[in-house]
């Protein structure tokens, strides 16, 4: 696992005990269903991982930036505040 993914996964998985791999998280952050189901690992990624590390993870995992932005916007609406990727 690359260092970017390892850093992200330690932030997302460790505090919440969420058993998710980097590949699974990459799929989830680009899937609007994650916002509809209030997936805690995706919300942790969007709210607790630094924006710089978020962008690095998205690039490293080859995730659609547009898809992640859509998910972030939906989570922003649900949370009531703007998340960094909800541009």
């Amino acid at each position: 696992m690359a260092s970017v993914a390892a850093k992200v996964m330690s932030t997302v998985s460790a505090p919440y005990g969420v058993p998710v791999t980097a590949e699974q998280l990459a799929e989830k952050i680009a899937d609007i269903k994650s916002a509809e189901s209030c997936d805690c690992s995706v919300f942790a990624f969007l709210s607790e991982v630094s924006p710089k590390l978020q962008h690095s993870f998205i690039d490293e995992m080859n995730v659609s930036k547009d898809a992640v932005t859509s998910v972030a916007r939906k989570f922003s609406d649900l949370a009531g505040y703007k998340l960094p990727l909800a541009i």
Side-chain angles (χ1 to χ4, degrees):
M1 183 181 319
S3 62
V4 169
K7 289 177 186 176
V8 167
M9 297 315 297
S10 67
T11 301
V12 170
S13 297
Y16 303 100
V18 178
V20 64
T21 66
E23 292 76 16
Q24 290 169 326
L25 181 63
E27 290 176 16
K28 289 178 175 218
I29 63 172
D31 187 348
I32 198 68
K33 291 178 187 172
S34 297
E36 294 167 357
S37 68
C38 299
D39 187 291
C40 64
S41 62
V42 175
F43 186 67
F45 174 81
L46 295 171
S47 63
E48 297 182 25
V49 173
S50 73
K52 181 179 177 182
L53 197 53
Q54 289 174 347
H55 288 286
S56 295
F57 182 80
I58 290 165
D59 290 342
E60 182 175 289
M61 301 303 290
N62 295 317
V63 178
S64 165
K65 292 176 185 176
D66 291 337
V68 177
T69 298
S70 295
V71 172
R73 286 180 182 153
K74 180 71 173 173
F75 267 109
S76 283
D77 291 344
L78 293 169
Y81 60 92
K82 196 62 114 182
L83 295 166
L85 290 178
I87 42 180

